[in-house]
Amino acid sequence: QVQLLESGGGSVPAGGSLRLSCAASGFIYSNYLMAWFRQVPGKEREGVAASHSDGRTFYAESVKGRFGVSIDSADNTLYLQMNSLKPADTAMYYCAAREGYYSDLRWWTRVGEYNSWGQGTQVTVSS
């Protein structure tokens, strides 16, 4: 069973930066997709960014140009570098994972496609 542990959340002023980490353990296969989602109370969980172990990356339009996602395959850790943060980025950020190779990853934002989730880390951006 894959286990995910997020870290790196916190409180920053608008325009600041944070780096989130998600340490994964228990992968059986060498191919996997890892993603960051975020959720605010009363709203659906939304995909922020994703990275496949083969190097492909994906971003939500709202974070393109500000956030960078990467995987360190040596220790199966997913990172999210968040720059130029806005109050609208305030949310609980969750790490998700699914093993396997997929040529088409247009479904990466679908919550139900992932079978492993972390507990979340809070990001708060003040105006």
Side-chain angles (χ1 to χ4, degrees):
Q1 183 176 356
V2 175
Q3 294 187 321
L4 305 173
L5 181 62
E6 303 101 331
S7 61
S11 297
V12 295
S17 298
L18 281 174
R19 189 190 195 204
L20 305 184
S21 300
C22 174
S25 61
F27 282 133
I28 296 176
Y29 304 104
S30 60
N31 290 308
Y32 50 85
L33 176 69
M34 296 183 74
W36 289 102
F37 285 76
R38 65 187 180 188
Q39 188 172 26
V40 297
K43 291 192 176 181
E44 292 186 354
R45 195 168 292 190
E46 65 171 357
V48 176
S51 181
H52 193 273
S53 54
D54 65 4
R56 286 176 288 169
T57 57
F58 307 88
Y59 295 93
E61 285 296 324
S62 60
V63 305
K64 279 184 179 178
R66 299 188 298 122
F67 291 10
V69 66
S70 61
I71 287 179
D72 183 342
S73 57
D75 59 6
N76 296 332
T77 299
L78 178 71
Y79 297 98
L80 185 68
Q81 178 66 44
M82 304 187 294
N83 301 322
S84 302
L85 282 162
K86 305 175 181 180
D89 295 316
T90 295
M92 184 70 78
Y93 283 70
Y94 297 91
C95 177
R98 173 173 172 163
E99 291 186 89
Y101 179 81
Y102 309 94
S103 59
D104 183 355
L105 284 170
R106 284 176 289 180
W107 48 263
W108 74 269
T109 60
R110 298 177 195 164
V111 171
E113 296 288 351
Y114 298 83
N115 47 27
S116 298
W117 289 87
Q119 293 300 306
T121 185
Q122 178 68 37
V123 171
T124 302
V125 184
S126 58
S127 57

